[in-house]
Short mmCIF file of all heavy atoms in Angstrom, two decimals:
data_model
loop_
_atom_site.label_atom_id
_atom_site.label_comp_id
_atom_site.label_asym_id
_atom_site.label_seq_id
_atom_site.Cartn_x
_atom_site.Cartn_y
_atom_site.Cartn_z
N ALA F 62 -48.54 50.98 -79.07
CA ALA F 62 -47.56 50.90 -77.98
C ALA F 62 -46.21 51.41 -78.46
O ALA F 62 -45.45 52.01 -77.70
CB ALA F 62 -47.45 49.46 -77.49
N TYR F 71 -45.12 45.82 -81.86
CA TYR F 71 -45.87 46.55 -80.83
C TYR F 71 -46.95 47.43 -81.46
O TYR F 71 -47.43 48.36 -80.85
CB TYR F 71 -44.93 47.43 -79.99
CG TYR F 71 -44.29 46.73 -78.80
CD1 TYR F 71 -43.96 45.38 -78.83
CD2 TYR F 71 -44.01 47.43 -77.63
CE1 TYR F 71 -43.36 44.76 -77.75
CE2 TYR F 71 -43.41 46.82 -76.54
CZ TYR F 71 -43.09 45.48 -76.61
OH TYR F 71 -42.50 44.88 -75.52
N TRP F 75 -52.79 48.53 -76.45
CA TRP F 75 -52.88 47.84 -75.15
C TRP F 75 -53.71 48.71 -74.20
O TRP F 75 -53.49 49.94 -74.14
CB TRP F 75 -51.49 47.67 -74.53
CG TRP F 75 -50.79 46.39 -74.75
CD1 TRP F 75 -50.81 45.28 -73.96
CD2 TRP F 75 -49.87 46.07 -75.83
NE1 TRP F 75 -49.98 44.29 -74.47
CE2 TRP F 75 -49.40 44.75 -75.62
CE3 TRP F 75 -49.40 46.76 -76.94
CZ2 TRP F 75 -48.48 44.13 -76.46
CZ3 TRP F 75 -48.50 46.14 -77.79
CH2 TRP F 75 -48.07 44.83 -77.55
N ARG F 77 -53.51 48.88 -70.96
CA ARG F 77 -52.65 49.50 -69.94
C ARG F 77 -51.88 50.69 -70.50
O ARG F 77 -51.96 51.81 -69.98
CB ARG F 77 -51.66 48.44 -69.42
CG ARG F 77 -50.56 48.95 -68.51
CD ARG F 77 -49.68 47.80 -68.02
NE ARG F 77 -49.44 46.81 -69.05
CZ ARG F 77 -50.13 45.66 -69.16
NH1 ARG F 77 -51.04 45.34 -68.28
NH2 ARG F 77 -49.88 44.81 -70.15
N ASP F 78 -51.13 50.48 -71.58
CA ASP F 78 -50.30 51.54 -72.14
C ASP F 78 -51.15 52.76 -72.51
O ASP F 78 -50.77 53.90 -72.26
CB ASP F 78 -49.56 51.06 -73.40
CG ASP F 78 -48.62 49.88 -73.14
OD1 ASP F 78 -49.06 48.91 -72.50
OD2 ASP F 78 -47.47 49.93 -73.60
N LEU F 194 -48.94 42.67 -65.21
CA LEU F 194 -48.72 43.74 -66.20
C LEU F 194 -47.60 43.43 -67.19
O LEU F 194 -47.60 43.97 -68.28
CB LEU F 194 -48.46 45.09 -65.51
CG LEU F 194 -47.04 45.38 -65.02
CD1 LEU F 194 -46.87 46.86 -64.71
CD2 LEU F 194 -46.69 44.58 -63.79
N TRP F 195 -46.65 42.55 -66.80
CA TRP F 195 -45.58 42.17 -67.75
C TRP F 195 -46.02 41.01 -68.64
O TRP F 195 -45.23 40.49 -69.40
CB TRP F 195 -44.29 41.82 -67.00
CG TRP F 195 -43.75 42.87 -66.07
CD1 TRP F 195 -43.22 42.66 -64.82
CD2 TRP F 195 -43.63 44.28 -66.30
NE1 TRP F 195 -42.81 43.83 -64.27
CE2 TRP F 195 -43.04 44.86 -65.15
CE3 TRP F 195 -43.96 45.14 -67.37
CZ2 TRP F 195 -42.79 46.22 -65.02
CZ3 TRP F 195 -43.71 46.50 -67.23
CH2 TRP F 195 -43.14 47.03 -66.09
N GLU F 196 -47.24 40.58 -68.49
CA GLU F 196 -47.82 39.58 -69.37
C GLU F 196 -47.09 38.24 -69.31
O GLU F 196 -46.80 37.62 -70.32
CB GLU F 196 -47.82 40.10 -70.83
CG GLU F 196 -48.20 41.55 -70.93
CD GLU F 196 -48.49 42.04 -72.34
OE1 GLU F 196 -47.54 42.23 -73.11
OE2 GLU F 196 -49.67 42.22 -72.66
N ARG F 324 -37.06 45.42 -64.99
CA ARG F 324 -38.34 44.94 -64.47
C ARG F 324 -38.12 44.11 -63.21
O ARG F 324 -38.65 44.38 -62.15
CB ARG F 324 -39.07 44.12 -65.54
CG ARG F 324 -39.44 44.95 -66.78
CD ARG F 324 -40.49 44.27 -67.64
NE ARG F 324 -40.05 42.98 -68.20
CZ ARG F 324 -40.77 42.27 -69.07
NH1 ARG F 324 -41.95 42.72 -69.49
NH2 ARG F 324 -40.32 41.12 -69.54
N TYR F 330 -36.40 39.05 -71.18
CA TYR F 330 -37.02 39.70 -72.34
C TYR F 330 -36.31 41.01 -72.63
O TYR F 330 -36.02 41.74 -71.70
CB TYR F 330 -38.50 39.96 -72.03
CG TYR F 330 -39.28 40.67 -73.10
CD1 TYR F 330 -39.61 40.03 -74.29
CD2 TYR F 330 -39.68 41.99 -72.92
CE1 TYR F 330 -40.34 40.68 -75.26
CE2 TYR F 330 -40.41 42.65 -73.89
CZ TYR F 330 -40.73 41.99 -75.06
OH TYR F 330 -41.44 42.64 -76.03
N TRP F 341 -34.96 49.32 -68.22
CA TRP F 341 -36.02 49.96 -69.01
C TRP F 341 -36.05 51.46 -68.76
O TRP F 341 -35.87 51.91 -67.62
CB TRP F 341 -37.39 49.38 -68.60
CG TRP F 341 -37.68 48.03 -69.19
CD1 TRP F 341 -36.82 46.99 -69.34
CD2 TRP F 341 -38.96 47.58 -69.70
NE1 TRP F 341 -37.47 45.92 -69.92
CE2 TRP F 341 -38.78 46.25 -70.15
CE3 TRP F 341 -40.22 48.16 -69.82
CZ2 TRP F 341 -39.81 45.50 -70.70
CZ3 TRP F 341 -41.25 47.41 -70.38
CH2 TRP F 341 -41.04 46.10 -70.82
N GLU F 394 -37.95 51.10 -75.49
CA GLU F 394 -38.42 50.43 -74.28
C GLU F 394 -37.26 50.19 -73.31
O GLU F 394 -37.37 50.40 -72.11
CB GLU F 394 -39.05 49.09 -74.67
CG GLU F 394 -39.61 48.31 -73.52
CD GLU F 394 -40.17 46.96 -74.00
OE1 GLU F 394 -39.37 46.06 -74.35
OE2 GLU F 394 -41.40 46.81 -74.03
N LEU F 409 -41.22 53.85 -77.58
CA LEU F 409 -42.32 53.27 -76.80
C LEU F 409 -43.15 54.43 -76.22
O LEU F 409 -42.62 55.28 -75.50
CB LEU F 409 -41.75 52.40 -75.68
CG LEU F 409 -42.80 51.60 -74.91
CD1 LEU F 409 -43.14 50.31 -75.68
CD2 LEU F 409 -42.31 51.25 -73.51
N TRP F 411 -45.25 54.54 -73.87
CA TRP F 411 -45.22 54.54 -72.41
C TRP F 411 -43.89 55.12 -71.88
O TRP F 411 -43.87 55.80 -70.84
CB TRP F 411 -45.47 53.11 -71.90
CG TRP F 411 -45.64 52.91 -70.45
CD1 TRP F 411 -45.65 53.89 -69.48
CD2 TRP F 411 -45.85 51.67 -69.77
NE1 TRP F 411 -45.84 53.31 -68.25
CE2 TRP F 411 -45.96 51.97 -68.39
CE3 TRP F 411 -45.95 50.35 -70.19
CZ2 TRP F 411 -46.17 50.98 -67.44
CZ3 TRP F 411 -46.15 49.36 -69.23
CH2 TRP F 411 -46.26 49.67 -67.87
C1 LIG H 502 -44.46 44.61 -72.74
C2 LIG H 502 -44.75 45.03 -71.34
O1 LIG H 502 -44.35 44.01 -70.48
C3 LIG H 502 -46.22 45.34 -71.16
O2 LIG H 502 -46.42 45.86 -69.87
C4 LIG H 502 -46.69 46.33 -72.19
O3 LIG H 502 -48.07 46.53 -72.05
C5 LIG H 502 -46.36 45.86 -73.59
N1 LIG H 502 -44.97 45.51 -73.70
C6 LIG H 502 -46.68 46.94 -74.62
O4 LIG H 502 -45.89 48.07 -74.41
#
Side-chain angles (χ1 to χ4, degrees):
Y71 273 33
W75 265 268
R77 171 178 39 262
D78 299 49
L194 83 165
W195 305 138
E196 319 192 285
R324 297 197 298 186
Y330 178 72
W341 282 40
E394 182 182 72
L409 188 82
W411 187 2

